[in-house]
Amino acid sequence: MAKLILLVQGQAKTYELKAGDNFLGRLPDCDIQIDFNMVSRKHARVFAVEEQFLIEDLGSGNGTFVNGQKIEKPMRLKSNDRIELGPVLFRYEGIDSPSSSDSGLGEDSRFGQISIEGGDSSSTITGRVGGNAFDMLDVKPSEKLKAVLEIIKSLAGTIDIDKILPKLLDTLFGIFPHADRGCVLLLDEKSNQMIPRAMKHRRADADDSVKLSRTILKTVIETKETILSADASSDSKFNASESISSLAIRSMMCAPLLGLNGDVLGVINIDTQNPLAQFRTEDAQILTAVAVPAALAYEGARLMQSYVEKQKQDNEMLIASNVQLALLPERMPDIEGYSFFAMYESAQAVGGDYYDVVQLPNGKIAVAFGDVAGKGVPASLIMSRLSTVVRSVTEFLDDAGQAIEKINGHMCARAVEGRFVTFVLIILDPIQHKMALVNAGHMSPIIRKPDGTLEEFSDDIVGVPLGVVDGYPYDVVMRDIGAGETFVIYTDGVSEAMNAAGDLYGVDALRKLITQESGDTQTLGTVIRSDVRRHANGRPQNDDITLMVFGRNAP
């Protein structure tokens, strides 16, 4: 798709050209409206003839120029032609323009006027500067040391990458007073392309595009050497494009920005259009020397930026953790004849385990306990949704079967693929000492009887997890609660806690511990958590650990 790129004040705006007429001018009905009083109402027309675009001046007051030449009749456009309508500059990109992947140059809408030109010939390269940059301080050391100190002073204390690079160019223009244009390109790790990140012209009113030699850029990246090119405009590969020849580049330098590991982070390119002030080897050595602290400053700013971002993320995760903890009950209910214990420890800042104890208006208690598949932020979001759903449903329904049906329906609606929830819902009647239990894919609660024997619910009553099958018919189990009976509900973060050798804590160890300890809920819950921590022996937990113990007190 052919396009015109408007270049103004360091910004680039792209207009795609249609197959018919494309009018440029001040009038609002122009295809490309240019709100500038030195542009005529209908200034010019760009139109297609046999898949080629031509431009025609429409009798404008200030004329239409292509590559610096005023046109008197329709003129065929070539890729990278510069079009001037008064002071307004466009660059034309035809369907034959090389793609970013072909040129090795990525795009940044702020610096669309930087492009790569030229073939693969190396005939424009007239000098190279390699090796240790500081070894070259032996030749004219005062000039080079002064330049290095200028760069260090200029960039000191700057941690904003977007400010470092313009400052770098400003300082380089002071070091090289005959430089006309400069730009900095940085390597994008994802696309492996050089992305323009800063550009500077000696003259504030200059709109010339910065042209980089593909040969030089490739050589700098491959050899990690500073390349010096003299009288570039006389080279045949630059004369291949009229729009480049009109720029009359006389001399250029391109230096690599090397990271601490020696990899190329980017390049600095400076050129001059003054044929009497060509860059020399000494200039290339100075540019090589200053590129070292410049690269270090950039890498330091990048690390600082990463640190600041990490701090911001940590603060946000701390807030998220506090929000999630606020969804859990602040305290256990105070019910005569019953006691409750619960603990929750996420493997990360936030987790996917969930428990709640809701006192219903009729005196019953809803005990909800769940484990979202996975952990971290995605699991915590689903846990937050589950918490809201359980609260809103149990406020109006004290029937376990009806409540689980509603809860599952809500979790199935707009469910995230692979993010199901294993869940246990108990409606406890502390007056009649009865309970109704529904198990949606979770491990069976372990019941400790007063004599220390254990009881677990049959696997036959276990239904599918929440959020998997809408309308699933869950079984409801009714059970009396005997005096002195204690119920233990846990997530797999307890049973699958690992030590340094990779050994799991295991359900058998949990059962054995429950049998040996008393039925007091606080004591039993505390002992279980301590024993799991003892087993892990300092190994970081790999999953959220949540435990709930409740029971009817012994007479």
Side-chain angles (χ1 to χ4, degrees), residues 213-291:
S213 162
R214 181 183 292 110
T215 300
I216 292 177
L217 184 60
K218 180 179 179 182
T219 304
V220 170
I221 295 173
E222 290 180 351
T223 65
K224 302 179 182 179
E225 297 177 333
T226 297
I227 299 301
L228 178 67
S229 175
D231 198 21
S233 65
S234 66
D235 191 272
S236 59
K237 81 183 186 65
F238 281 91
N239 289 332
S241 170
E242 179 184 353
S243 60
I244 298 171
S245 297
S246 65
L247 295 179
I249 296 175
R250 298 300 177 185
S251 182
M252 67 169 66
M253 296 186 295
C254 190
L257 293 169
L258 301 178
L260 291 173
N261 57 1
D263 292 339
V264 176
L265 303 174
V267 297
I268 308 172
N269 189 86
I270 298 178
D271 65 54
T272 177
Q273 295 174 290
N274 187 347
L276 302 179
Q278 293 186 358
F279 292 122
R280 297 172 297 176
T281 301
E282 291 82 357
D283 296 317
Q285 290 176 345
I286 291 176
L287 183 62
T288 304
V290 301

Side-chain angles (χ1 to χ4, degrees), residues 81-95:
D81 277 347
R82 293 178 301 125
I83 302 169
E84 296 172 69
L85 310 182
V88 180
L89 177 66
F90 287 89
R91 176 162 58 86
Y92 171 73
E93 279 192 8
I95 57 176

Side-chain angles (χ1 to χ4, degrees), residues 140-187:
K140 295 186 177 181
S142 60
E143 293 184 17
K144 294 169 185 172
L145 183 59
K146 180 181 177 182
V148 170
L149 292 176
E150 283 292 327
I151 288 292
I152 294 175
K153 179 181 177 182
S154 172
L155 303 183
T158 304
I159 62 173
D160 188 339
I161 293 176
D162 292 331
K163 292 181 179 179
I164 277 186
L165 302 181
K167 275 189 175 183
L168 170 61
L169 291 176
D170 289 342
T171 308
L172 289 175
F173 272 47
I175 296 172
F176 303 106
H178 49 296
D180 287 316
R181 298 172 303 186
C183 63
V184 179
L185 287 74
L186 298 178
L187 184 66

Side-chain angles (χ1 to χ4, degrees), residues 364-378:
K364 293 181 179 180
I365 304 292
V367 177
F369 194 91
D371 183 1
V372 179
K375 49 186 176 288
V377 174

Side-chain angles (χ1 to χ4, degrees), residues 33 93 167-168 213 215 257 341 374 379 381 395 414 435 495 497 505:
Q33 185 188 14
E93 279 192 8
K167 275 189 175 183
L168 170 61
S213 162
T215 300
L257 293 169
F341 169 90
L381 294 175
E395 281 185 9
R414 300 182 181 179
M435 63 180 291
S495 57
Y505 181 71

